[in-house]
Amino acid sequence: MSNKSAALGSESIGSLLIKQAVPASIGILVMSLNILVDTIFVGNWIGSIAIAAINVVLPVSFFIAALGMAIGIGGSSIISRALGAGNKERALKTFGNQITLTLLLTISMVVLGLVFINELIPAFGGKGDIFEPAKIYYRIVLYGVPLLALCMMGNNVIRAEGKPKFAMIAMIIPSVGNLVLDYIFIYHLDMGMAGAAWATTISYGLCFLYVLWFFLSNKSELQISLPHFGLDLPILKEMSALGFVTLARQAVVSVTYLLMNNILFDIGGEASVASYGIIARMLMFALFPVLGVTQGFLPIAGYNYGAHQFTRVRESINKAILYAGGLGLVIFAAIMIFPEQIVSVFTTDPDILSETPHYMRWVFAATPIIAIQLIGSAYFQAIGKAVPALLLTLTRQGFFFIPLIFILPHYFGELGVWISFPAADILSTIVTGYFLNREIRKTLKE
């Protein structure tokens, strides 16, 4: 098997970004379409309350799965830099530690999640008519979350090796599987919320089988053995510091769901929570090309930084921001022009149809500039600088968005909640742009 990771340090940056970003974007697109179509199926075949119920469960399952993503991204930063520096043994040891840590943490979290099921669901907004369908969905989906965590961890390692097409397939398999199983379990077998949950859980299992095959085959450069699974303290400390950036981001996302569901329930009831469910799905779906460029940028920046090719690192930053910013502008235009048509795909509820398009325009108002914030925070994570990566990652939702959703509704009512989205985007972009520019001038010299 040829060492394809070496191409990260030799091919042109523009070509590499396209090769890395297109498969990543396709994978995110299919995964986002899965979430989107799943929401359409649930909304039309079960009801709008079911959309709210799934939206309540997502923060818990996403947070546990995010443990795998955090370990994957944190370890992959080490792997990319180790491969760039020619230290393959360090890359192998890191991968083995990723697997061990993912299993230990996610299984523990699932046990706790099941024990405290009746407390967690209401805390995340599962009140009134939302509670029972949310409980059904939560219990079943939680069984498959460790497999999802392993998939997300493995997916990032595959990308760190410079093999984005295999990473793309790993994202497509559970998405397609979930949609097919949704159609069978909900539409034909009339299993309701349980059908939606089992479709999701089984799809996680399909993804895990594919990722397992990849690493056991000769497709991967990381052919690990039993000693690599033993926990190594220095690697764990660096991986945890870098992974904590991703985990903190996902934790803040979960907290944001919790706060939004509760604040909107108090202001507008179930209808407002359902509106947020639709808009949250669109945020996951519509930004897929921007997120794809960000994911494609990570291994390029990490590998070349490890190889001390700083001119290439600087070029990768500039081109990633340019590509992602252009795509963000296209997304912005589509949302501004077609919000009514988008919302009508999810529901026929007249109350939701009348208000949600207006709110959606506010949520996406600052989309053209978010590339700077995403690429900037990703850069510090790619090069192993955990503290600035953590702080910049938390600027948008942690430092700005959460305070704003408490302050602005006092002046603007429910509209204040939705205005908080673009306000947080603008403020976090300004802060990230300042620190990224300072880092480039200080570290990435000719």
Side-chain angles (χ1 to χ4, degrees):
M1 185 68 188
S2 60
N3 183 8
K4 290 188 177 180
S5 62
L8 296 171
S10 57
E11 288 189 19
S12 72
I13 296 298
S15 174
L16 277 173
L17 261 177
I18 293 171
K19 287 181 180 179
Q20 291 283 333
V22 169
S25 297
I26 293 172
I28 295 170
L29 170 62
V30 175
M31 185 174 68
S32 302
L33 277 172
N34 164 40
I35 296 170
L36 206 64
V37 176
D38 183 57
T39 305
I40 295 170
F41 285 174
V42 166
N44 285 278
W45 295 340
I46 304 177
S48 59
I49 289 295
I51 297 177
I54 293 176
N55 207 49
V56 165
V57 173
L58 282 179
V60 182
S61 59
F62 271 17
F63 178 72
I64 299 173
L67 289 169
M69 180 189 292
I71 294 166
I73 292 178
S76 295
S77 173
I78 302 173
I79 291 171
S80 289
R81 284 178 283 123
L83 291 174
N87 190 348
K88 190 170 182 179
E89 182 59 28
R90 179 172 169 79
L92 293 171
K93 187 66 176 176
T94 300
F95 182 41
N97 276 232
Q98 285 178 293
I99 296 171
T100 302
L101 193 59
T102 301
L103 286 171
L104 288 174
L105 290 178
T106 56
I107 292 174
S108 300
M109 292 294 291
V110 167
V111 171
L112 290 173
L114 290 171
V115 169
F116 295 103
I117 184 172
N118 290 321
E119 291 78 20
L120 285 171
I121 292 175
F124 278 80
K127 304 167 185 175
D129 294 338
I130 301 174
F131 178 78
E132 282 303 325
K135 186 175 180 179
I136 292 169
Y137 189 84
Y138 174 92
R139 188 188 301 275
I140 297 169
V141 166
L142 215 57
Y143 296 137
V145 167
L147 296 178
L148 175 61
L150 286 167
C151 291
M152 297 177 85
M153 182 275 294
N155 185 274
N156 284 285
V157 176
I158 294 170
R159 193 171 286 110
E161 287 192 58
K163 300 179 177 68
K165 291 182 181 178
F166 289 98
M168 174 188 71
I169 295 171
M171 298 175 75
I172 290 175
I173 287 174
S175 301
V176 174
N178 186 42
L179 295 182
V180 172
L181 292 171
D182 262 347
Y183 180 70
I184 295 170
F185 291 162
I186 302 176
Y187 186 76
H188 282 289
L189 300 182
D190 196 24
M191 292 173 65
M193 289 301 296
W198 278 117
T200 300
T201 296
I202 293 172
S203 71
Y204 295 161
L206 295 174
C207 178
F208 170 74
L209 291 175
Y210 174 80
V211 171
L212 181 65
W213 165 81
F214 174 84
F215 287 112
L216 291 178
S217 71
N218 65 348
K219 306 295 182 184
S220 173
E221 295 174 40
L222 302 176
Q223 299 295 319
I224 58 176
S225 56
L226 196 59
H228 294 127
F229 289 97
L231 296 177
D232 181 281
L233 188 58
I235 287 177
L236 280 179
K237 290 172 80 171
E238 184 177 359
M239 183 166 62
S240 299
L242 293 169
F244 184 71
V245 176
T246 299
L247 187 60
R249 178 172 59 242
Q250 295 303 314
V252 172
V253 168
S254 294
V255 171
T256 300
Y257 269 95
L258 182 154
L259 295 173
M260 286 288 289
N261 286 333
N262 280 282
I263 290 171
L264 289 172
F265 185 86
D266 291 340
I267 294 174
E270 285 91 344
S272 292
V273 177
S275 292
Y276 177 51
I278 292 170
I279 292 172
R281 298 308 184 280
M282 281 306 299
L283 280 169
M284 294 178 187
F285 166 71
L287 298 178
F288 78 90
V290 178
L291 297 175
V293 173
T294 305
Q295 287 198 0
F297 163 77
L298 281 166
I300 300 170
Y303 188 99
N304 285 284
Y305 191 88
H308 295 281
Q309 299 191 61
F310 295 147
T311 300
R312 288 176 61 82
V313 177
R314 193 168 56 251
E315 185 183 354
S316 70
I317 294 171
N318 293 334
K319 289 194 173 178
I321 291 175
L322 178 65
Y323 293 175
L327 292 166
L329 189 60
V330 174
I331 295 163
F332 169 80
I335 295 294
M336 294 301 115
I337 296 170
F338 303 111
E340 291 84 5
Q341 292 85 343
I342 292 169
V343 175
S344 65
V345 173
F346 291 91
T347 183
T348 56
D349 189 313
D351 292 333
I352 297 173
L353 285 171
S354 65
E355 298 294 339
T356 308
H358 177 56
Y359 299 149
M360 188 178 291
R361 283 194 175 100
W362 275 110
V363 170
F364 284 87
T367 302
I369 66 169
I370 62 171
I372 296 171
Q373 207 278 326
L374 291 172
I375 300 298
S377 57
Y379 163 75
F380 287 99
Q381 195 167 13
I383 66 171
K385 294 190 176 183
V387 174
L390 173 63
L391 295 176
L392 292 176
T393 296
L394 295 181
T395 53
R396 182 187 176 275
Q397 290 187 304
F399 298 154
F400 294 126
F401 182 72
I402 290 177
L404 286 171
I405 61 174
F406 283 105
I407 295 169
L408 294 184
H410 287 292
Y411 300 97
F412 303 102
E414 185 175 349
L415 179 61
V417 177
W418 308 110
I419 293 174
S420 300
F421 283 89
D425 286 334
I426 293 168
L427 292 170
S428 61
T429 296
I430 292 170
V431 172
T432 304
Y434 168 78
F435 284 103
L436 178 61
N437 182 61
R438 192 177 74 167
E439 171 71 13
I440 291 171
R441 296 176 66 179
K442 179 181 177 182
T443 305
L444 302 180
K445 298 176 181 178
E446 292 290 348

